[in-house]
Amino acid sequence: MPKLKITETILRDGQQSLALSRMTTEEMLPILPVLDRVGYHALEVFGGATFDVCLRYLDEDPWSRLKTLRSNLPSTSLQMVMRGQSAVGYRHQPDDIVQSFVQRCAANGINIMRVYDALNDYRNLETAISTARREGLTVSAAICYTESPVHTTEHFVSCAKAYVDLGAENICIKDMAGVLRPYEAYQIIKALRAELPAVPLELHTHTTAGFAAMTLLKAVEIGVEYIDTALSPFAEGASLPATEAVVSAFTNTPYVPTLDAAALKEAEEYFSTVRARYLKEGIISPDTLRASPGVSAHGFPTGTYSVLFEQLCRADATDRVKEVYEEIVRVRADAGYAPLVSPVSQIIATQALRNVLDGDRYKTVTEDFRDLCAGKYGRLPAPLEPIFAKQILGDALPLSCRPADKLKNAVEKYRHLVAPYAEQDEDYLTLAMFEDVARHYFERRKMQKYHLDFAASSAYPVHPV
Ligand code: CO
């Protein structure tokens, strides 16, 4: 019986789920040598929402973060999460951008590429998986778990087979919303084990609904070998099961992983002080720390709630969150039961919010929602009802090919556009994925550098900007 392999997510999903990805590189730095000693299978450090938040809120260059983490974590494999053809952005990118993005991640020290497509459309992972394999990365292809009449065990198994055919080495069940029940996990893992006996299986589940520990146990008993956890100060609630609790639970069994207990303790103490500060400053909302059984009803992942919350604030409608959640369930069913995960979760939530604010469903249809219905993000899990398709798309036929086949290569274009700001090779990729957000960040970076240069060359000290 193989020992469990633990991927520690505190630097990515743990802090994304509880602290809106606000942990800075500076806050991570002092504890990296300790994390490097623990003996984790991997540390998840990059991708997901962290890339966006670095640019938008932290005034940090995400690529510099990756380089810093790599040089301070010499002994541990680094994992990142990539949204298939959207990379770490919200829209599909042309193949050459996706290829270059994967190449730069590999060159800057990523070892394991956890890649998923929001619609579980294998065509959207073709480029990411083939490039990652070519670059020597280990590919963990994640299947988004969601509940719906079409998300059957057969659906998940056929998805897994398609990903393995593309070159994925490991298959992960990704339960981003924390709604995967123990016996459902057992059935799915059992079927995957039977159909793909040689493929290592991974489980990524959140404790949101309150039963993740049970799910994890059932999954391990039937064949999951790799699990994602977060150190206890950033675990539980909307986050993942606590690393120390999982290790302790499997003590005196063949599954127990060999991790350095002293290093785990030291890391736990360090992050406890970070957590205390975040709580005091309101970065961690106490609501995310407890189980939210209601998540099973709407399945909206807390990790992406921050974007919705901001939209509600802007619309002065924070008191209507319950209505929006109910509408999210209806909009998702209309849109072929698309799993609620980035970028689709944001598209559906924005349309649901529009429907609620207008008081008239689909009076305004956002461009992204129309694109989603038109197949521009991939094949929807279930076809649209003909009447609904007509209402949203008019006479236009949905796209039947792989969406990226319609996108023109753009590396040269973005290399050209980034020229006034470029300070490193990766900047054009940041611009391609984040456009105005990237441009604003580059401008601030330039000003910061100007002031620093000026301070260094001036006899009179200036205030830092
Ligand atoms: Co997650």
Side-chain angles (χ1 to χ4, degrees), residues 193-372:
R193 193 62 308 148
E195 296 283 338
L196 300 162
V199 177
L201 302 177
E202 310 183 355
L203 179 66
H204 177 91
T205 186
H206 286 249
T207 35
T208 324
F211 45 65
M214 289 187 269
T215 300
L216 200 148
L217 181 62
K218 294 305 285 180
V220 169
E221 284 180 348
I222 194 68
V224 157
E225 226 178 293
Y226 296 74
I227 49 179
D228 294 355
T229 61
L231 275 160
S232 56
F234 284 85
E236 304 296 322
S239 180
L240 295 92
T243 309
E244 306 94 307
V246 169
V247 173
S248 179
F250 287 102
T251 303
N252 297 329
T253 73
Y255 302 112
V256 70
T258 323
L259 300 183
D260 181 327
L264 272 181
K265 180 93 190 82
E266 198 179 335
E268 186 256 306
E269 282 166 7
Y270 176 80
F271 284 114
S272 292
T273 59
V274 178
R275 169 196 160 98
R277 196 171 68 251
Y278 284 3
L279 271 168
K280 207 167 128 205
E281 291 169 7
I283 296 171
I284 293 180
S285 150
D287 279 349
T288 59
L289 300 176
R290 47 165 282 222
S292 314
V295 73
S296 295
H298 57 72
F300 191 73
T302 320
T304 52
Y305 174 70
S306 55
V307 182
L308 173 62
F309 185 72
E310 248 183 55
Q311 288 173 318
L312 286 164
C313 289
R314 245 181 288 137
D316 198 17
T318 45
D319 56 329
R320 302 187 74 179
V321 65
K322 195 166 163 275
E323 277 172 86
V324 174
Y325 274 143
E326 286 164 2
E327 180 60 9
I328 283 173
V329 175
R330 289 187 288 265
V331 173
R332 173 180 173 252
D334 291 340
Y337 299 103
L340 293 171
V341 65
S342 294
V344 169
S345 47
Q346 287 87 342
I347 297 172
I348 289 183
T350 305
Q351 183 60 50
L353 178 64
R354 265 292 24 108
N355 290 357
V356 167
L357 293 179
D358 287 350
D360 188 0
R361 307 189 71 221
Y362 305 108
K363 184 178 161 207
T364 328
V365 177
T366 69
E367 196 188 331
D368 287 337
F369 187 75
R370 188 172 285 116
D371 284 350
L372 177 69

Side-chain angles (χ1 to χ4, degrees), residues 59-109:
D59 261 352
E60 264 195 43
D61 175 52
W63 297 101
S64 304
R65 170 181 291 190
L66 176 56
K67 291 169 198 176
T68 304
L69 293 175
R70 177 72 283 174
S71 60
N72 286 276
L73 293 162
S75 312
T76 310
S77 289
L78 299 186
Q79 172 169 302
M80 69 168 289
V81 177
M82 179 179 175
R83 303 163 180 161
Q85 199 73 25
S86 311
V88 289
Y90 301 98
R91 290 211 168 87
H92 277 197
Q93 298 292 331
D95 286 329
D96 66 338
I97 295 279
V98 172
Q99 285 159 351
S100 306
F101 176 78
V102 174
Q103 278 159 4
R104 293 321 299 162
C105 292
N108 286 311

Side-chain angles (χ1 to χ4, degrees), residues 366-405:
T366 69
E367 196 188 331
D368 287 337
F369 187 75
R370 188 172 285 116
D371 284 350
L372 177 69
C373 293
K376 291 187 183 170
Y377 286 86
R379 195 179 291 122
L380 295 167
L384 300 178
E385 289 292 336
I387 295 171
F388 183 73
K390 177 96 183 149
Q391 182 186 355
I392 302 298
L393 303 175
D395 291 326
L397 283 175
L399 204 65
S400 58
C401 65
R402 184 183 74 111
D405 287 341

Side-chain angles (χ1 to χ4, degrees), residues 17-29:
S17 301
L18 297 187
L20 313 176
S21 308
R22 297 300 200 273
M23 196 183 284
T24 63
T25 307
E26 211 183 328
E27 286 171 310
M28 298 173 185
L29 264 175

Side-chain angles (χ1 to χ4, degrees), residues 12-13 16-17 44 174-177 204-206 240:
R12 208 289 293 176
D13 208 353
Q16 176 175 323
S17 301
E44 186 177 278
K174 178 182 168 76
D175 173 28
M176 56 281 168
H204 177 91
T205 186
H206 286 249
L240 295 92

